[in-house]
Amino acid sequence: MRCTPESVDAALRDLDAQQLRRRREIFGSGVDFCSNDYLGLAAHPDVAAAMANAALARGVGARASHLVNGHDAEHEALERELAEFTGRERALLFSTGYMANLGVVGAFADRDDLILEDRLNHASLLDAGLLARTRAFERYAHCDADAAAAALRAQHEARPNASAMLVTDGVFSMDGDLAPLPQLAAATRAYRQWLVVDDAHGFGVLGKTGGGCCEHFGLGADDIPLLVGTLGKAFGTFGAFVAGDAAYIELLMQRARTYIYTTALPPAVAAATRVALRLLRTEHWRRERLHAHIQRFRDGARRRGLPLADSPTAIQPVIIGSARDALTASRTLADAGFRVVAIRPPTVPAGSARLRVTLSATHTETQIDDLLSALEGACDAARRERAP
Ligand SMILES: Cc1ncc(COP(=O)(O)O)c(C=O)c1O
């Protein structure tokens, strides 16, 4: 809808009428089943202490962008540790995952290129593809590696010298399923094109040591040359990084506008993230407990006939359908003491509004069992409200 100063109220009323107005709520009581703190590191005392100590020692803000005067020893050390963790030559920190995605796609895509994206990619990847203003921007059906390969083949035949960039989530943020990375990597390797994978929800959760989708599938830097991770999820802190060959990262640093023209991440956040990374890599019990919870939740949901998606990760959406029913179900859960946010269009396709349940190592088995009972009631309540 076109928006003039006079039509703002009407635009807001329109959102209300469609049950699509988003609201912020200050989180108070209840059990949180919608944050991305999958390993329970956000409130870990060692992580918090590292942040507090670094802030006292080095100040709160970075004072400048990385390329001016804001690059701190904590940033440098974290980048080295993230490179080692991901098995890449180098890593570059960004202030957010959104900025990392805009930066990496914009830095490597040329006006004459094709950008190919999974239809259900995170908004930041889709925005990155649109903002790159390349010759062609195409979206393929969700997880359809054959369609992606066919598009690469068609471009190769029509324009053998043009470049393409295939961009995908590793774990899809609203569905919890995994991209078919071995097949996508085979296709981009065959045509010698870029593959960018945003593994925001895979790091810490997937792989024996929390190495994410790459470790899960046994893929390396030759398969996935540009790997994005965010720090605000399983790491429990804030920020993001891109990892890859040293030359790629050097060029990224020279070109990424969302890296160059912004204040650096606070060094204290980098210090906290270094501790979080150590815990993520060494405290395997957190990952094991999370996976036991995922299994328990899925088994219980199946027994109760809840409409589960096919997800092996911490993201376990319960698909409701209409935005109105999803809101009703979310409110019923809130009354029962559970915070599970309703995700509605345009974040997800129309007709697939859902309760995005996320699990964490900090949950107890009893909390998961109680949530399952409450979910059953909430789905019934939504159905009853819909009935004439
Ligand atoms: C897949 C994915 N990529 C990127 C982001 C953005 O990361 P950030 O919150 O650090 O901007 C998110 C969510 O926030 C995400 O789910």
Side-chain angles (χ1 to χ4, degrees), residues 96-99 101 122 124 169 171 173 198 200-201 230-233 239-240:
T96 67
Y98 205 114
M99 294 165 80
N101 285 335
H122 187 261
S124 57
D169 283 22
V171 172
S173 55
D198 172 359
H201 300 278
T230 64
L231 304 173
K233 293 162 172 73

PDB file of all heavy atoms in Angstrom, residues 96-99 101 122 124 169 171 173 198 200-201 230-233 239-240, ligand 1:
ATOM      1  N   THR A  96      26.034  -7.072  12.876  1.00  0.00           N
ATOM      2  CA  THR A  96      24.845  -7.925  12.957  1.00  0.00           C
ATOM      3  C   THR A  96      24.871  -8.920  11.788  1.00  0.00           C
ATOM      4  O   THR A  96      25.575  -8.710  10.794  1.00  0.00           O
ATOM      5  CB  THR A  96      23.518  -7.130  12.847  1.00  0.00           C
ATOM      6  OG1 THR A  96      23.413  -6.597  11.525  1.00  0.00           O
ATOM      7  CG2 THR A  96      23.404  -6.027  13.870  1.00  0.00           C
ATOM      8  N   GLY A  97      24.035  -9.949  11.913  1.00  0.00           N
ATOM      9  CA  GLY A  97      23.907 -10.907  10.821  1.00  0.00           C
ATOM     10  C   GLY A  97      23.293 -10.255   9.590  1.00  0.00           C
ATOM     11  O   GLY A  97      23.649 -10.577   8.454  1.00  0.00           O
ATOM     12  N   TYR A  98      22.358  -9.359   9.846  1.00  0.00           N
ATOM     13  CA  TYR A  98      21.722  -8.644   8.725  1.00  0.00           C
ATOM     14  C   TYR A  98      22.784  -7.904   7.911  1.00  0.00           C
ATOM     15  O   TYR A  98      22.820  -7.966   6.675  1.00  0.00           O
ATOM     16  CB  TYR A  98      20.708  -7.642   9.301  1.00  0.00           C
ATOM     17  CG  TYR A  98      19.604  -7.277   8.359  1.00  0.00           C
ATOM     18  CD1 TYR A  98      18.297  -7.641   8.622  1.00  0.00           C
ATOM     19  CD2 TYR A  98      19.863  -6.570   7.194  1.00  0.00           C
ATOM     20  CE1 TYR A  98      17.269  -7.310   7.756  1.00  0.00           C
ATOM     21  CE2 TYR A  98      18.848  -6.243   6.323  1.00  0.00           C
ATOM     22  CZ  TYR A  98      17.556  -6.606   6.609  1.00  0.00           C
ATOM     23  OH  TYR A  98      16.552  -6.276   5.747  1.00  0.00           O
ATOM     24  N   MET A  99      23.690  -7.263   8.607  1.00  0.00           N
ATOM     25  CA  MET A  99      24.750  -6.497   7.930  1.00  0.00           C
ATOM     26  C   MET A  99      25.762  -7.425   7.256  1.00  0.00           C
ATOM     27  O   MET A  99      26.277  -7.115   6.182  1.00  0.00           O
ATOM     28  CB  MET A  99      25.433  -5.562   8.919  1.00  0.00           C
ATOM     29  CG  MET A  99      24.502  -4.477   9.414  1.00  0.00           C
ATOM     30  SD  MET A  99      25.130  -3.651  10.882  1.00  0.00           S
ATOM     31  CE  MET A  99      26.298  -2.534  10.146  1.00  0.00           C
ATOM     32  N   ASN A 101      25.130 -10.274   5.919  1.00  0.00           N
ATOM     33  CA  ASN A 101      24.533 -10.782   4.684  1.00  0.00           C
ATOM     34  C   ASN A 101      24.488  -9.705   3.595  1.00  0.00           C
ATOM     35  O   ASN A 101      24.815  -9.965   2.441  1.00  0.00           O
ATOM     36  CB  ASN A 101      23.145 -11.347   4.972  1.00  0.00           C
ATOM     37  CG  ASN A 101      23.242 -12.695   5.664  1.00  0.00           C
ATOM     38  OD1 ASN A 101      24.255 -13.393   5.521  1.00  0.00           O
ATOM     39  ND2 ASN A 101      22.218 -13.073   6.409  1.00  0.00           N
ATOM     40  N   HIS A 122      16.168 -16.261   4.761  1.00  0.00           N
ATOM     41  CA  HIS A 122      15.940 -15.176   5.717  1.00  0.00           C
ATOM     42  C   HIS A 122      15.858 -13.825   4.983  1.00  0.00           C
ATOM     43  O   HIS A 122      16.541 -13.607   3.973  1.00  0.00           O
ATOM     44  CB  HIS A 122      17.087 -15.130   6.725  1.00  0.00           C
ATOM     45  CG  HIS A 122      16.853 -14.162   7.831  1.00  0.00           C
ATOM     46  ND1 HIS A 122      17.410 -12.900   7.844  1.00  0.00           N
ATOM     47  CD2 HIS A 122      16.098 -14.258   8.948  1.00  0.00           C
ATOM     48  CE1 HIS A 122      17.023 -12.276   8.937  1.00  0.00           C
ATOM     49  NE2 HIS A 122      16.223 -13.071   9.632  1.00  0.00           N
ATOM     50  N   SER A 124      17.112 -11.038   5.433  1.00  0.00           N
ATOM     51  CA  SER A 124      18.370 -10.306   5.206  1.00  0.00           C
ATOM     52  C   SER A 124      19.077 -10.807   3.952  1.00  0.00           C
ATOM     53  O   SER A 124      19.726 -10.024   3.251  1.00  0.00           O
ATOM     54  CB  SER A 124      19.305 -10.430   6.418  1.00  0.00           C
ATOM     55  OG  SER A 124      19.570 -11.780   6.718  1.00  0.00           O
ATOM     56  N   ASP A 169      20.097 -20.102   3.410  1.00  0.00           N
ATOM     57  CA  ASP A 169      20.213 -20.397   4.844  1.00  0.00           C
ATOM     58  C   ASP A 169      20.782 -21.809   4.953  1.00  0.00           C
ATOM     59  O   ASP A 169      20.496 -22.650   4.082  1.00  0.00           O
ATOM     60  CB  ASP A 169      18.821 -20.450   5.495  1.00  0.00           C
ATOM     61  CG  ASP A 169      18.196 -19.083   5.761  1.00  0.00           C
ATOM     62  OD1 ASP A 169      18.581 -18.097   5.127  1.00  0.00           O
ATOM     63  OD2 ASP A 169      17.288 -19.037   6.616  1.00  0.00           O
ATOM     64  N   VAL A 171      20.283 -23.595   8.067  1.00  0.00           N
ATOM     65  CA  VAL A 171      19.057 -24.035   8.746  1.00  0.00           C
ATOM     66  C   VAL A 171      18.040 -22.917   8.525  1.00  0.00           C
ATOM     67  O   VAL A 171      18.338 -21.750   8.802  1.00  0.00           O
ATOM     68  CB  VAL A 171      19.301 -24.215  10.259  1.00  0.00           C
ATOM     69  CG1 VAL A 171      18.002 -24.473  10.997  1.00  0.00           C
ATOM     70  CG2 VAL A 171      20.303 -25.338  10.514  1.00  0.00           C
ATOM     71  N   SER A 173      15.243 -20.373   9.147  1.00  0.00           N
ATOM     72  CA  SER A 173      14.960 -19.783  10.449  1.00  0.00           C
ATOM     73  C   SER A 173      13.523 -19.950  10.913  1.00  0.00           C
ATOM     74  O   SER A 173      13.259 -19.938  12.109  1.00  0.00           O
ATOM     75  CB  SER A 173      15.325 -18.299  10.434  1.00  0.00           C
ATOM     76  OG  SER A 173      14.664 -17.635   9.375  1.00  0.00           O
ATOM     77  N   ASP A 198      24.368 -19.033   5.033  1.00  0.00           N
ATOM     78  CA  ASP A 198      24.155 -18.354   6.314  1.00  0.00           C
ATOM     79  C   ASP A 198      23.726 -19.422   7.318  1.00  0.00           C
ATOM     80  O   ASP A 198      22.599 -19.913   7.273  1.00  0.00           O
ATOM     81  CB  ASP A 198      23.060 -17.289   6.140  1.00  0.00           C
ATOM     82  CG  ASP A 198      22.631 -16.673   7.462  1.00  0.00           C
ATOM     83  OD1 ASP A 198      23.148 -17.076   8.523  1.00  0.00           O
ATOM     84  OD2 ASP A 198      21.755 -15.789   7.424  1.00  0.00           O
ATOM     85  N   ALA A 200      23.267 -19.253  10.575  1.00  0.00           N
ATOM     86  CA  ALA A 200      22.909 -18.593  11.836  1.00  0.00           C
ATOM     87  C   ALA A 200      22.366 -19.585  12.868  1.00  0.00           C
ATOM     88  O   ALA A 200      22.697 -19.508  14.050  1.00  0.00           O
ATOM     89  CB  ALA A 200      21.862 -17.517  11.561  1.00  0.00           C
ATOM     90  N   HIS A 201      21.534 -20.515  12.422  1.00  0.00           N
ATOM     91  CA  HIS A 201      20.869 -21.413  13.377  1.00  0.00           C
ATOM     92  C   HIS A 201      21.510 -22.796  13.442  1.00  0.00           C
ATOM     93  O   HIS A 201      20.992 -23.679  14.126  1.00  0.00           O
ATOM     94  CB  HIS A 201      19.381 -21.540  13.021  1.00  0.00           C
ATOM     95  CG  HIS A 201      18.674 -20.235  13.070  1.00  0.00           C
ATOM     96  ND1 HIS A 201      18.197 -19.680  14.242  1.00  0.00           N
ATOM     97  CD2 HIS A 201      18.391 -19.328  12.091  1.00  0.00           C
ATOM     98  CE1 HIS A 201      17.651 -18.508  13.987  1.00  0.00           C
ATOM     99  NE2 HIS A 201      17.753 -18.268  12.682  1.00  0.00           N
ATOM    100  N   THR A 230      26.008 -16.097  12.798  1.00  0.00           N
ATOM    101  CA  THR A 230      25.602 -14.975  13.654  1.00  0.00           C
ATOM    102  C   THR A 230      25.894 -15.347  15.099  1.00  0.00           C
ATOM    103  O   THR A 230      25.886 -16.515  15.465  1.00  0.00           O
ATOM    104  CB  THR A 230      24.116 -14.610  13.484  1.00  0.00           C
ATOM    105  OG1 THR A 230      23.326 -15.716  13.905  1.00  0.00           O
ATOM    106  CG2 THR A 230      23.782 -14.279  12.045  1.00  0.00           C
ATOM    107  N   LEU A 231      26.149 -14.344  15.905  1.00  0.00           N
ATOM    108  CA  LEU A 231      26.577 -14.583  17.287  1.00  0.00           C
ATOM    109  C   LEU A 231      25.437 -14.400  18.286  1.00  0.00           C
ATOM    110  O   LEU A 231      25.584 -14.680  19.463  1.00  0.00           O
ATOM    111  CB  LEU A 231      27.735 -13.632  17.629  1.00  0.00           C
ATOM    112  CG  LEU A 231      28.930 -13.737  16.656  1.00  0.00           C
ATOM    113  CD1 LEU A 231      29.964 -12.653  16.933  1.00  0.00           C
ATOM    114  CD2 LEU A 231      29.560 -15.126  16.737  1.00  0.00           C
ATOM    115  N   GLY A 232      24.290 -13.938  17.800  1.00  0.00           N
ATOM    116  CA  GLY A 232      23.162 -13.656  18.695  1.00  0.00           C
ATOM    117  C   GLY A 232      22.273 -14.865  18.931  1.00  0.00           C
ATOM    118  O   GLY A 232      21.219 -14.738  19.569  1.00  0.00           O
ATOM    119  N   LYS A 233      22.677 -16.006  18.437  1.00  0.00           N
ATOM    120  CA  LYS A 233      21.829 -17.202  18.618  1.00  0.00           C
ATOM    121  C   LYS A 233      22.541 -18.163  19.574  1.00  0.00           C
ATOM    122  O   LYS A 233      22.636 -17.846  20.743  1.00  0.00           O
ATOM    123  CB  LYS A 233      21.484 -17.763  17.263  1.00  0.00           C
ATOM    124  CG  LYS A 233      20.568 -16.701  16.596  1.00  0.00           C
ATOM    125  CD  LYS A 233      20.430 -16.797  15.180  1.00  0.00           C
ATOM    126  CE  LYS A 233      19.387 -15.868  14.627  1.00  0.00           C
ATOM    127  NZ  LYS A 233      19.631 -14.461  14.559  1.00  0.00           N
ATOM    128  N   GLY A 239      26.193  -9.961  17.169  1.00  0.00           N
ATOM    129  CA  GLY A 239      27.126  -9.732  16.069  1.00  0.00           C
ATOM    130  C   GLY A 239      27.104 -10.889  15.083  1.00  0.00           C
ATOM    131  O   GLY A 239      26.211 -11.742  15.133  1.00  0.00           O
ATOM    132  N   ALA A 240      28.085 -10.897  14.193  1.00  0.00           N
ATOM    133  CA  ALA A 240      28.115 -11.927  13.159  1.00  0.00           C
ATOM    134  C   ALA A 240      29.507 -11.976  12.541  1.00  0.00           C
ATOM    135  O   ALA A 240      30.361 -11.132  12.842  1.00  0.00           O
ATOM    136  CB  ALA A 240      27.084 -11.604  12.073  1.00  0.00           C
TER     137      ALA A 240
HETATM  138  C1  LIG B   1      19.108 -16.992   9.113  1.00  0.00           C
HETATM  139  C2  LIG B   1      19.338 -15.649   9.730  1.00  0.00           C
HETATM  140  N1  LIG B   1      20.284 -14.854   9.217  1.00  0.00           N
HETATM  141  C3  LIG B   1      20.523 -13.639   9.709  1.00  0.00           C
HETATM  142  C4  LIG B   1      19.809 -13.159  10.775  1.00  0.00           C
HETATM  143  C5  LIG B   1      20.098 -11.790  11.262  1.00  0.00           C
HETATM  144  O1  LIG B   1      21.034 -11.839  12.290  1.00  0.00           O
HETATM  145  P1  LIG B   1      21.134 -10.631  13.313  1.00  0.00           P
HETATM  146  O2  LIG B   1      20.017 -10.799  14.282  1.00  0.00           O
HETATM  147  O3  LIG B   1      22.479 -10.790  13.949  1.00  0.00           O
HETATM  148  O4  LIG B   1      21.025  -9.388  12.498  1.00  0.00           O
HETATM  149  C6  LIG B   1      18.817 -13.957  11.360  1.00  0.00           C
HETATM  150  C7  LIG B   1      17.993 -13.543  12.508  1.00  0.00           C
HETATM  151  O5  LIG B   1      18.111 -12.660  13.208  1.00  0.00           O
HETATM  152  C8  LIG B   1      18.581 -15.235  10.819  1.00  0.00           C
HETATM  153  O6  LIG B   1      17.629 -16.013  11.329  1.00  0.00           O
END
